[in-house]
Amino acid sequence: MEVKGARALLSACTTPVSEGMVVWTNSERAIRARKTTVELIMSNHNKNCLSCKRNLNCELQKLCQELGIRENRFEGEYTEPTFEDASPGIVRDTSKCVLCERCIQTCKKVQGIGVLGLMNRGFKTKVGPIYDAGFNAVNCMQCGQCVTACPVGALTEKESIHEVIEAINDPDKVVICQTAPAVRASLGEEFGHRIGTLVTGKMVAALKRCGFDRVYDTNYGADMTIMEEGTELLKRIQNGGVLPMFTSCSPGWIKYIEYEYPDLLPHLSSAKSPHMMFGAALKTYWAQKNNIDPSKIFVVSIMPCIAKKTEILRPECKTGEYQDVDAVLTTREAARLIKMYGMDNIDIFEDEKFDQDFCGEYTGAGVIFGTSGGVMEAALRTVKQILDGKPLENVDFMECRGMAGVKEAEVDLNGQKIWIAITSSMSCAKPLLDEVRAGTSKYTFIEVMGCPGGCINGGGQSIISGRKKARIGDEYKVWRMETLYEEDKMMPKRVSMDNAQMQDMYTEFFGEPGSELAEKLLHTTYSPKKRFDIE
Amino acid sequence: MEKLNGEALRKIDEIVARHKDQAGPCIEMLHEVQNELGYIPYEAMEKIAEATGSSPAEVYGVVMFYAQFTTEPKGKHVINVCLGTACYVKGAQQLIDRVEKLTGAAVNKTSPDGLFSLDATRCLGACGLAPVCIIDGKYYGNALVNNDFTNEIRRIVREEKKAGANA
Ligand code: SF4
Ligand code: SF4
Ligand code: SF4
Ligand code: FES
């Protein structure tokens, strides 16, 4: 910007306002300077927009367009890039990086880890993990918060779309799709809807037209998780087990605790995450019911999450011979898949329902899993109802809701008072974990989610530009959150244990929550992981 | 990655503890570790990060920013080959190729046996003698004609072999 009295141009973001200051943000000189800056960024940028994942949702493209840049004024040499996709989750391509450092700050401030840093200097400067290594070789939780912070295509998710299309077109495969609750609160954004528009019915309609043999709701799995995790909690309380117990639905969080607090692993619930439980049930109970050979079943999870892509490969999670889930698509990839199948407007569809056979029912408690506080609220609903021995009158636990990084409450479980806490993002979780480590934690049960605000703000969700975030702040998370509470409110059943289809499954197949078979198929183990693994 | 021995770890701890409360301690610590161990191992970056409230990746950024720090152990014998303009014109690339062959060390790396590291440097101020290399501090000028650098490298290899055999 140009400031009256100042000879040189000043940068708007670092110059303090002063009394009587006269500023021209759009003088010819200021515009020219902005243009030159962007042209210089472009001169070292791998401009293959047409094949870039961020094409049409790229902040650099947008700047070039706004500034009317029409030529490559400074063509020259390029910095030697790193292209790295060794981890199942995150891909780094420094030929697209504009060195804004948003990813570095996000990982450090939001997750408190600091996986990323700058290296080298001058023209050779690059961003990446230590030693320019792969994300799989360092203490990265694969949360993807750096991906949603990146303005360009330098950090992206590893795509699984082609595997999925291959499976759909394989006549021998039964391809079952399940969608996580948070996806319905963000998918609409990829089709031009206002942030947080609920698109459940349109999403189901579009996915069915992609050729999936079934489209189910992961909420069925969430209801299962509550049965397993809730039972585990009650057992721990009654038998003097390790407390506080941590929730285990967030694979990013699991990676974090394995790297950074391995001594606290006994606190982690052994329950698998909802989509993994659901996958396990589909390949056993559902397969039996439908008389289908489980080796023919291909389960695709549509998730707001990048860490889920690594979770499905965990050797600890394998059920018998098969992986519980075969592929994970992020919300963004799901939108790409739908568009690839020729549906660029999902509004033309009437709302459709998830498939209903055997594993189709779900409760409002499952829906709110998608937001920070939701798992806790869902667990409290069922645990309280079990202990009370009669249907809950009030299912709303307002103290679990809202955007705070740490929430806590004292709840009454049949006369016994316990403290619970809810946290999301590792920078917020850290103090709670330090308390547990020091033996001074007052809590009995702690919900931990890897991403700030929970899955609604997961690393796989629709990307909101930095400029928009600067304008609306955290509001976008609130909009997506409210959408889920809205759907919860509309559900006829809102307590997980009331899911009748799931109860039938327990009666017919698993016996009861925590049974030997449930332990085998629906629970898992953890182990300390090396923070850094490079030779 | 090779495990550091206990003595090296103790040294790092000691250095980190000594500089912890100074201003700008990171650079100080790195200097000392570099001097003591001849390079900056991962363990040092991790400990320095913890003491200074940063992350190993950030400390690595500092290490990579300054040319005097290295992340690889230096060889027992250090060879610098000048890549300045005069030397380049007079065949420095050929010189580098030959040193690489003789020592097994790639440019800016250490040989697998740990005997040599080979660094390419800027003008050494001895352009009249181009091309120039330095072996353990001693200059070898007109290297491609005189060929005495070859003899020196061969001598070192022989000596080290002997020492190894006697040990
Ligand atoms: S990052 Fe943006 S500008 Fe760069 S290639 Fe991708 S879409 Fe184009
Ligand atoms: S995925 Fe998460 S933990 Fe990994 S580098 Fe990005 S922000 Fe950090
Ligand atoms: S956020 Fe993206 S563009 Fe910015 S420094 Fe990180 S990788 Fe580069
Ligand atoms: S260019 Fe080699 S010494 Fe000057």
Side-chain angles (χ1 to χ4, degrees):
Chain A
M1 61 179 186
E2 210 165 333
V3 175
K4 193 173 182 182
R7 195 120 46 86
L9 291 171
L10 299 174
S11 62
C13 50
T14 54
T15 311
V17 183
S18 59
E19 192 60 39
M21 194 180 196
V22 180
V23 175
W24 294 276
T25 48
N26 286 322
S27 67
E28 207 260 335
R29 224 173 123 214
I31 290 180
R32 202 161 7 102
R34 284 208 285 277
K35 209 165 158 177
T36 305
T37 306
V38 174
E39 282 170 333
L40 283 171
I41 292 174
M42 270 175 71
S43 75
N44 191 24
H45 188 84
N46 172 11
K47 298 175 274 290
N48 60 353
C49 297
L50 292 182
S51 51
C52 180
K53 277 183 229 163
R54 290 295 293 269
N55 191 17
L56 302 178
N57 183 17
C58 168
E59 295 184 40
L60 181 56
Q61 262 182 349
K62 197 150 181 249
L63 279 176
C64 290
Q65 198 49 257
E66 284 169 359
L67 289 165
I69 291 173
R70 293 289 173 260
E71 58 176 339
N72 297 326
R73 258 213 302 154
F74 313 108
E75 269 303 353
E77 218 186 308
Y78 291 91
T79 306
E80 194 189 316
T82 301
F83 180 86
E84 185 274 298
D85 67 347
S87 90
I90 296 178
V91 180
R92 178 168 61 109
D93 179 357
T94 63
S95 72
K96 303 279 173 77
C97 175
V98 298
L99 298 175
C100 67
E101 299 183 39
R102 282 191 207 165
C103 53
I104 299 178
Q105 294 301 324
T106 303
C107 189
K108 179 144 201 222
K109 300 222 171 99
V110 176
Q111 300 300 22
I113 308 177
V115 167
L116 298 163
L118 289 170
M119 61 194 102
N120 310 331
R121 60 167 142 182
F123 188 63
K124 291 192 170 154
T125 308
K126 256 190 226 179
V127 167
I130 188 166
Y131 293 115
D132 209 8
F135 285 92
N136 59 332
V138 293
N139 57 339
C140 161
M141 58 191 275
Q142 306 270 329
C143 67
Q145 287 300 310
C146 52
V147 171
T148 52
C150 183
V152 290
L155 294 173
T156 54
E157 74 274 25
K158 193 168 200 171
E159 286 185 309
S160 308
I161 296 184
H162 288 282
E163 285 161 62
V164 172
I165 294 178
E166 224 171 85
I168 289 177
N169 286 296
D170 183 340
D172 276 343
K173 288 229 158 83
V174 178
V175 187
I176 306 178
C177 164
Q178 53 164 319
T179 68
V183 174
R184 68 205 63 185
S186 170
L187 184 76
E189 295 156 32
E190 296 283 313
F191 293 90
H193 282 290
R194 194 179 57 72
I195 296 173
T197 307
L198 190 65
V199 294
T200 318
K202 316 265 182 239
M203 170 182 77
V204 174
L207 289 172
K208 285 190 174 166
R209 280 161 186 74
C210 290
F212 290 106
D213 295 299
R214 296 284 195 292
V215 179
Y216 285 124
D217 198 326
T218 304
N219 292 339
Y220 182 89
D223 285 337
M224 290 169 67
T225 299
I226 288 301
M227 299 313 292
E228 295 299 328
E229 209 167 72
T231 311
E232 184 182 353
L233 177 67
L234 286 174
K235 268 195 208 149
R236 286 190 190 217
I237 294 177
Q238 281 154 9
N239 308 337
V242 179
L243 291 171
M245 185 174 91
F246 301 135
T247 58
S248 57
C249 322
S250 166
W253 147 240
I254 305 271
K255 275 185 99 66
Y256 179 82
I257 183 172
E258 287 184 329
Y259 286 128
E260 309 293 331
Y261 289 85
D263 48 316
L264 300 186
L265 284 173
H267 291 267
L268 204 52
S269 161
S270 63
K272 285 182 185 172
S273 72
H275 84 123
M276 298 294 276
M277 281 203 186
F278 198 8
L282 286 169
K283 290 191 179 185
T284 53
Y285 167 72
W286 188 90
Q288 229 172 59
K289 279 288 204 190
N290 285 290
N291 209 3
I292 293 174
D293 176 355
S295 69
K296 296 202 158 85
I297 298 178
F298 190 92
V299 179
V300 179
S301 299
I302 298 186
M303 297 280 130
C305 182
I306 292 182
K308 301 265 178 207
K309 286 179 185 275
T310 64
E311 180 188 25
I312 60 171
L313 299 173
R314 283 176 72 88
E316 297 94 330
C317 280
K318 231 165 148 205
T319 300
E321 293 160 68
Y322 313 107
Q323 243 173 257
D324 293 334
V325 170
D326 300 281
V328 168
L329 299 181
T330 59
T331 305
R332 298 189 289 274
E333 288 171 275
R336 279 175 222 148
L337 177 76
I338 292 170
K339 288 176 186 170
M340 203 180 274
Y341 273 74
M343 296 170 272
D344 56 358
N345 176 6
I346 53 173
D347 295 333
I348 57 168
F349 300 124
E350 295 287 333
D351 284 356
E352 285 183 27
K353 282 209 163 6
F354 287 102
D355 281 301
Q356 296 296 317
D357 54 326
F358 305 117
C359 297
E361 191 177 343
Y362 65 92
T363 69
V367 178
I368 57 174
F369 259 62
T371 146
S372 159
V375 177
M376 180 59 74
E377 181 166 349
L380 290 178
R381 288 180 189 174
T382 287
V383 167
K384 249 179 122 53
Q385 182 160 304
I386 292 177
L387 291 175
D388 290 355
K390 59 172 198 295
L392 272 192
E393 268 159 40
N394 177 17
V395 299
D396 293 326
F397 290 78
M398 299 313 280
E399 55 277 45
C400 294
R401 302 188 187 179
M403 280 288 311
V406 177
K407 298 171 262 191
E408 61 160 32
E410 192 175 25
V411 290
D412 187 336
L413 293 183
N414 205 17
Q416 185 180 2
K417 297 216 157 148
I418 61 161
W419 278 94
I420 54 114
I422 295 154
T423 186
S424 61
S425 85
M426 296 304 104
S427 60
C428 292
K430 213 168 183 317
L432 297 183
L433 299 176
D434 288 336
E435 272 177 20
V436 176
R437 190 176 257 176
T440 56
S441 178
K442 66 174 174 183
Y443 304 110
T444 300
F445 190 27
I446 304 181
E447 178 200 299
V448 189
M449 289 292 154
C451 292
C455 313
I456 44 122
N457 189 34
Q461 294 282 65
S462 185
I463 292 177
I464 299 166
S465 73
R467 205 190 287 179
K468 192 156 193 176
K469 277 188 192 155
R471 202 167 57 234
I472 61 178
D474 272 347
E475 278 300 290
Y476 74 98
K477 297 183 211 164
V478 178
W479 295 333
R480 289 176 183 165
M481 247 179 210
E482 280 170 352
T483 291
L484 295 185
Y485 288 116
E486 222 29 64
E487 186 169 289
D488 168 38
K489 222 157 68 194
M490 296 181 318
M491 297 299 295
K493 293 183 184 171
R494 297 177 64 194
V495 182
S496 296
M497 66 182 292
D498 295 343
N499 183 331
Q501 269 188 346
M502 178 190 69
Q503 291 293 6
D504 287 346
M505 174 179 72
Y506 270 105
T507 317
E508 277 180 49
F509 190 73
F510 287 111
E512 55 186 17
S515 71
E516 202 176 308
L517 188 59
E519 282 293 333
K520 173 162 174 256
L521 296 177
L522 309 180
H523 290 254
T524 185
T525 54
Y526 314 102
S527 56
K529 301 268 149 75
K530 251 170 71 188
R531 295 174 71 199
F532 176 85
D533 199 5
I534 293 174
E535 78 294 334
Chain B
M1 172 153 276
E2 251 181 83
K3 266 249 151 291
L4 275 190
N5 62 30
E7 197 198 337
L9 287 176
R10 264 195 306 284
K11 223 170 234 160
I12 295 170
D13 283 334
E14 188 262 314
I15 292 171
V16 170
R18 194 144 35 78
H19 293 286
K20 218 156 89 114
D21 302 314
Q22 291 175 354
C26 181
I27 296 274
E28 290 293 322
M29 293 176 189
L30 287 173
H31 267 300
E32 277 208 39
V33 173
Q34 177 77 43
N35 285 343
E36 284 286 339
L37 304 180
Y39 77 116
I40 315 282
Y42 172 74
E43 288 82 350
M45 292 190 257
E46 197 172 36
K47 286 174 196 274
I48 291 173
E50 197 165 320
T52 57
S54 59
S55 74
E58 283 173 299
V59 178
Y60 178 73
V62 178
V63 170
M64 294 303 280
F65 192 84
Y66 294 103
Q68 72 257 43
F69 300 133
T70 52
T71 55
E72 257 198 84
K74 277 264 180 251
K76 230 169 139 185
H77 304 272
V78 179
I79 305 178
N80 298 299
V81 178
C82 175
L83 267 188
T85 316
C87 290
Y88 193 80
V89 172
K90 290 274 194 114
Q93 190 55 51
Q94 208 189 325
L95 180 55
I96 284 198
D97 292 345
R98 287 183 53 192
V99 175
E100 274 188 353
K101 256 227 183 90
L102 283 166
T103 60
V107 181
N108 296 329
K109 294 254 142 77
T110 303
S111 61
D113 57 11
L115 271 190
F116 297 98
S117 24
L118 166 55
D119 293 340
T121 59
R122 287 165 191 275
C123 176
L124 294 166
C127 312
L129 302 174
V132 178
C133 69
I134 305 179
I135 303 177
D136 292 336
K138 188 161 177 252
Y139 278 65
Y140 294 81
N142 282 325
L144 288 175
V145 180
N146 289 346
N147 240 340
D148 42 1
F149 76 98
T150 330
N151 298 336
E152 175 60 7
I153 292 174
R154 291 222 169 95
R155 190 190 63 78
I156 292 173
V157 174
R158 257 197 324 270
E159 295 253 307
E160 293 287 352
K161 262 216 190 108
K162 230 198 283 165
N166 292 343

